Amino acid sequence: MKVIIIGGVAGGASCAARLRRLDEQAEILMVERGPYVSYANCGLPYHVGGVIEKESSLLVADANTFRSQFAVDVRTGCEAIKISPDEKTVELRNVETGEVTTEAYDKLVLSPGAASIRPPLPGIDLPGIFQVRTVPDARAIREWIERGSLFLTGMDKYSGFQTVKPKIRAVVIGGGFIGLETAENLVHRGFDVTLVEMLDQVLAPLDREMACIVEGFVERHGIRLALKDGVAGFQQTSNGSLEVLTKSGKAHPADIVILALGVRPDTTLARAAGIEIGTRGGIRVDDQMRTSKPDIFAVGDAVEVKDFVTGEWSLIALAGPANRQGRIAADVIAGRDSHFRGTQGTSIIGLFGAAAAWVGASEKTLKRIGDADYEKIYLYPNSHAGYYPGAKPIALKVLFRKSDGHLLGAQAVGEDGVDKRISTLAMALQMNATIYDLEEAELCYAPQFGSAKDPVNFAGMVAADILRGDMPLVHWDATDGGFLLDVRQPVELAVEQKPGAVNIPLGQLRSRLDELPRDREIFVICRSGQRAYYATRILLQHGFKANIISGGMLALALNCLLKRDSGA
Ligand SMILES: Cc1cc2nc3c(=O)[nH]c(=O)nc-3n(C[C@H](O)[C@H](O)[C@H](O)COP(=O)(O)OP(=O)(O)OC[C@H]3O[C@@H](n4cnc5c(N)ncnc54)[C@H](O)[C@@H]3O)c2cc1C
């Protein structure tokens, strides 16, 4: 059996290595247009920033490793230019010489990835405008920076008076994870960084109020955000630097511009071969990674797959799914019955020592598809036991089915412990867990790692209290007409107050119940929700119509920010 794999990075390389482990006899040819196979493109922003100093560190396994360890015929600098599904052949072009050869296959695997979006804007090809997609892209940025720095170092020595070295101005376009990671790395290099984003938030998969936390955090660390503004073009100034022109009429000065406008599936070859393309613009595959053409498989960023929660077709440009899909294609080619379970979109981004992570459906996705059978909670548990040094709050939003408690999605932002909570919730989601399962999850605990009630347990307990009716819950947007009861300490009100709320500290509540109305809904707040929960339980057991306001003052702060941003 001869198997040709097009694309030699995440999906392609996984497929080749797995196939060899399953089939010693298969003839495997892996072609890669670029100079490297199996490199860590996820590390590229950190190479730009100098955190990963050596380019060689990004090369996970080179072509020789594939040749010697896996007996794979690897051809770099070799582009597949045509697939003929009826003849079962592929035309290959040597990138350097232009020579074209034809190879026959029994099975073909496409893993061509996704192409960076590069709109035909005026000036987009000017020098100083880069993207971060490949090792040569990162090298070009580093070389440019080094050249620019040399020039500025010269300026330092220019005169006895000129002692302040001007900052290099970088404009990053796109607030997705590649744009933000690159922006962070440029801040680390001492650049003055502006990030321009067309949407009203960074990190589009996050719900707006969670993205808001990230925005505040990165702004405090030196990234200037220009949201709700699309790029209109680029121009060179008389001194040779650049200006990024936006649709709102602004001109952001720049010495370097990074384009991170997202990616779109590379379907050029597949389309030309008559392979079905799906509604989202990716190669349509079944759950065994088979395309519409016999003996042709496709994996990775180029394919569209079913969303695990919504069942919708979706595009997901992530390394984990690409690797797993490459492995599944290899399994199926080798005669095994492996299936892709769908994507949960489990993602994380690290920024200035903090992290934002998410899994499953967001609230905006549920709203978009008209799914109203969900409830959400906000909580702010500590990353580990509060009495052990270094605990940090995690802002956690969890979405679950109102009707049966099934977990639907989660988002978390914080400076510690975000990754393991979202990874735990991702596993729970894939196992179709409910919030009742989260209550019962037995997770590891010692003071420096977690709490006896881990944030994951805690989320389950809060959500289960709501579904069991122990904790009637409202959100800030549904509190009009109610009696607002604030159970925080008076000293806290000096820092932030909710106008119109009556303050009875939790410790005094039992003795001051006669101050509360019995004929009105009472909405209880504290800072994050915990004391409001205790108060709500007291009030309910004394016959009051009490509800807790989800997320308390912390959630209100985000609500206010959103309203301010939208001009409401
Ligand atoms: C800067 C950056 C940071 C990222 N960070 C993360 C992260 O932190 N976490 C995460 O989960 N994901 C991350 N990703 C996404 C992740 O890298 C991709 O989802 C994954 O690499 C997709 O694998 P793939 O095999 O589909 O495509 P790729 O890994 O992109 O490989 C496709 C390869 O196919 C080659 N090719 C295309 N057409 C042809 C042809 N006709 N002939 C020959 N070769 C061809 C291309 O040259 C390319 O090398 C990041 C991506 C980038 C660019």
Side-chain angles (χ1 to χ4, degrees), residues 390-414:
K392 304 275 180 184
I394 299 173
L396 182 60
K397 176 177 185 178
V398 177
L399 295 137
F400 52 96
R401 279 254 165 272
K402 233 178 347 197
S403 53
D404 62 13
H406 272 101
L407 186 61
L408 296 172
Q411 306 174 15
V413 182

Side-chain angles (χ1 to χ4, degrees), residues 52-246:
I52 300 173
E53 188 45 54
K54 284 202 263 155
E55 188 176 287
S56 58
S57 306
L58 297 169
L59 307 176
V60 181
D62 63 9
N64 282 333
T65 311
F66 273 88
R67 288 184 195 115
S68 61
Q69 285 188 16
F70 299 111
V72 171
D73 177 3
V74 177
R75 297 184 203 167
T76 51
C78 176
E79 183 177 27
I81 52 172
K82 187 177 174 198
I83 301 166
S84 303
D86 296 336
E87 289 82 39
K88 295 181 80 167
T89 58
V90 180
E91 280 180 26
L92 303 175
R93 188 175 68 90
N94 182 315
V95 172
E96 209 173 303
T97 64
E99 185 196 352
V100 175
T101 52
T102 302
E103 293 275 351
Y105 64 81
D106 297 303
K107 307 281 180 197
L108 177 66
V109 180
L110 309 179
S111 188
S116 297
I117 294 174
R118 199 179 165 85
L121 294 169
I124 197 159
D125 293 321
L126 283 168
I129 302 180
F130 299 92
Q131 60 180 21
V132 190
R133 181 84 204 145
T134 62
V135 174
D137 289 340
R139 189 186 305 147
I141 296 171
R142 281 176 63 106
E143 283 172 2
W144 184 93
I145 290 171
E146 270 142 39
R147 277 205 305 276
S149 304
L150 280 176
F151 167 66
L152 290 167
T153 309
M155 280 186 70
D156 264 352
K157 294 175 191 150
Y158 176 64
S159 80
F161 300 105
Q162 196 171 354
T163 51
V164 180
K165 186 162 134 180
K167 275 192 167 188
I168 302 178
R169 298 156 307 173
V171 175
V172 176
I173 298 163
F177 68 81
I178 297 176
L180 274 170
E181 284 174 357
T182 308
E184 180 205 17
N185 275 285
L186 294 175
V187 169
H188 284 322
R189 288 195 81 128
F191 287 22
D192 176 71
V193 181
T194 301
L195 186 142
V196 179
E197 164 59 57
M198 197 170 64
L199 299 177
D200 60 355
Q201 68 168 86
V202 299
L203 298 174
L206 281 179
D207 285 322
R208 178 79 184 83
E209 73 281 15
M210 299 302 283
C212 206
I213 307 174
V214 179
E215 287 157 14
F217 189 76
V218 298
E219 281 181 322
R220 285 197 296 283
H221 283 81
I223 298 178
R224 195 178 305 108
L225 293 178
L227 302 178
K228 285 196 275 187
D229 204 3
V231 175
F234 308 88
Q235 67 187 24
Q236 207 158 28
T237 62
S238 52
N239 69 5
S241 68
L242 293 163
E243 274 181 347
V244 177
L245 309 173
T246 67

Side-chain angles (χ1 to χ4, degrees), residues 109 248 279 344 349 366 422 453 470:
V109 180
S248 73
T279 45
Q344 300 165 232
I349 176 171
L366 295 172
I422 292 297
K453 281 192 206 93
D470 291 338

Side-chain angles (χ1 to χ4, degrees), residues 269-293:
L269 272 180
R271 275 178 202 274
I275 292 170
E276 186 186 349
I277 304 298
T279 45
R280 302 295 310 276
I283 301 171
R284 181 56 67 82
V285 288
D286 66 12
D287 66 353
Q288 294 197 303
M289 312 319 297
R290 289 194 181 88
T291 68
S292 61
K293 294 284 182 194

Side-chain angles (χ1 to χ4, degrees), residues 6-12 31-34 36 39 41-45 78-81 111-114 132-134 177-178 181 266 269 299-302 316-322 346 348:
I6 299 176
V9 188
V31 299
E32 167 53 53
R33 180 167 53 197
Y36 306 109
Y39 65 89
N41 35 18
C42 308
L44 292 172
C78 176
E79 183 177 27
I81 52 172
S111 188
V132 190
R133 181 84 204 145
T134 62
F177 68 81
I178 297 176
E181 284 174 357
D266 186 342
L269 272 180
V299 302
D301 289 0
I316 195 87
L318 288 172
T346 317
I348 187 161

